[in-house]
């Protein structure tokens, strides 16, 4: 049980800390156009993202794929930018009926990219057998899932307050939050060390 708590807490801390703002920004970007009534979709999005994250760890821990950290560190903010730009350009468009399958495939793919970003940290803390690594990854994934649900809940509460108390329209909320996220991730993309090589 103590090992479960160690990796579960590691998963929680991976998301719920000041240094993981990239994950938090991605979750905010996903949640921008959603409301409490969309709870099933939110749960599916979060679980799909966690699944992608877990697949990435499994593929890399077991040596199936190898990745360059600098490339992943560039791709992570690009995924956030893509989601924010999508919401910026589709805000308030009632005819927006994106394919659910496409949204979940993209979320899975982005989860894989974000999971690759945690590879080195996970390798440095776990050196056990193949079975214990699998168990640790699953325990870690549960912590990730719980933390992501906490972030989504906070975003939904904030959206509710802004839209009911301060009378922001859903469109205005989406535009402001999308622009904020774009403003945060663009400098990260531009300042990535990959451009300096």
């Amino acid at each position: 049980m103590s090992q479960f708590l160690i990796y579960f807490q590691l998963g929680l801390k991976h998301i719920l800390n000041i240094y993981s703002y990239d994950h938090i920004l991605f979750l905010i970007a996903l949640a921008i156009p959603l409301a409490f009534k969309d709870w099933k979709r939110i749960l599916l999005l979060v679980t799909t993202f966690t699944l992608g994250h877990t697949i990435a760890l499994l593929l890399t821990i077991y040596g199936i794929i190898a990745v360059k950290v600098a490339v992943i560190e560039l791709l992570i903010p690009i995924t956030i930018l893509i989601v924010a730009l999508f919401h910026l350009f589709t805000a308030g468009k009632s005819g927006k009926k994106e394919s659910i399958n496409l949204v979940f495939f993209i979320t899975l793919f982005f989860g894989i990219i974000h999971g690759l970003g945690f590879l080195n940290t996970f390798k440095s803390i776990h050196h056990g057998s193949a079975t214990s690594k699998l168990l640790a990854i699953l325990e870690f994934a549960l912590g990730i899932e719980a933390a992501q649900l906490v972030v989504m809940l906070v975003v939904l509460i904030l959206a509710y307050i802004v839209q009911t108390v301060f009378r922001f329209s859903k469109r205005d909320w989406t535009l402001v939050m999308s622009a904020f996220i774009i403003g945060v991730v663009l400098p990260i993309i531009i300042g990535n060390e990959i451009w300096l090589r």
Side-chain angles (χ1 to χ4, degrees), residues 17-80:
N17 76 70
I18 191 70
Y19 302 109
S20 291
Y21 63 90
D22 56 340
H23 267 90
I24 294 171
L25 281 175
F26 185 79
L27 292 167
I28 293 170
L30 277 181
I32 287 172
L34 303 173
F36 283 109
K37 65 180 176 59
D38 304 312
W39 67 269
K40 287 181 184 176
R41 183 176 178 135
I42 292 164
L43 190 57
L44 279 171
L45 280 171
V46 167
T47 303
T48 303
F49 187 71
T50 304
L51 179 63
H53 205 278
T54 306
I55 289 169
L57 281 176
L58 289 171
L59 291 174
T60 49
I61 289 289
Y62 290 109
I64 298 167
I65 62 169
V67 293
K68 292 185 177 180
V69 176
V71 173
I72 296 304
E73 286 177 356
L74 175 63
L75 289 176
I76 288 173
I78 288 174
T79 63
I80 300 165

Side-chain angles (χ1 to χ4, degrees), residues 9 11 39 50-51 74 79 90 111 115 117 123 145 155-156 162 173:
Q9 287 175 354
W39 67 269
T50 304
L51 179 63
L74 175 63
T79 63
T90 58
K123 275 185 174 176
E145 181 82 357
V155 174
L156 291 175
V162 167
W173 163 255

Side-chain angles (χ1 to χ4, degrees), residues 14-193:
H14 177 53
I15 302 295
L16 301 177
N17 76 70
I18 191 70
Y19 302 109
S20 291
Y21 63 90
D22 56 340
H23 267 90
I24 294 171
L25 281 175
F26 185 79
L27 292 167
I28 293 170
L30 277 181
I32 287 172
L34 303 173
F36 283 109
K37 65 180 176 59
D38 304 312
W39 67 269
K40 287 181 184 176
R41 183 176 178 135
I42 292 164
L43 190 57
L44 279 171
L45 280 171
V46 167
T47 303
T48 303
F49 187 71
T50 304
L51 179 63
H53 205 278
T54 306
I55 289 169
L57 281 176
L58 289 171
L59 291 174
T60 49
I61 289 289
Y62 290 109
I64 298 167
I65 62 169
V67 293
K68 292 185 177 180
V69 176
V71 173
I72 296 304
E73 286 177 356
L74 175 63
L75 289 176
I76 288 173
I78 288 174
T79 63
I80 300 165
L81 179 66
I82 290 168
V83 175
L85 284 171
F86 174 78
H87 292 317
L88 186 72
F89 290 113
T90 58
K93 294 186 179 174
S94 58
K96 181 184 72 169
K97 291 289 179 188
E98 71 274 4
S99 163
I100 297 294
N101 292 335
L102 179 64
V103 169
F104 289 109
F105 174 76
I106 290 169
T107 304
L108 179 68
F109 178 70
F110 287 177
I112 290 170
I113 291 172
H114 284 246
L116 292 172
F118 189 68
L119 172 65
N120 287 336
T121 306
F122 195 86
K123 275 185 174 176
S124 70
I125 59 168
H126 197 283
H127 305 286
S129 67
T131 305
S132 68
K133 283 180 183 176
L134 177 61
L135 190 57
I137 288 171
L138 294 176
E139 292 162 348
F140 175 73
L142 287 174
I144 292 277
E145 181 82 357
Q148 290 181 146
L149 289 172
V150 168
V151 172
M152 290 295 238
L153 180 63
V154 169
V155 174
L156 291 175
I157 291 170
L158 183 61
Y160 179 80
I161 291 169
V162 167
Q163 292 176 45
T164 55
V165 176
F166 298 104
R167 304 287 187 197
F168 265 56
S169 68
K170 186 175 181 178
R171 179 181 175 275
D172 289 345
W173 163 255
T174 303
L175 289 173
V176 168
M177 290 305 294
S178 297
F180 167 75
I181 292 168
I182 291 166
V184 173
V185 296
L186 272 179
I188 297 170
I189 294 169
I190 294 166
N192 188 281
E193 66 182 44

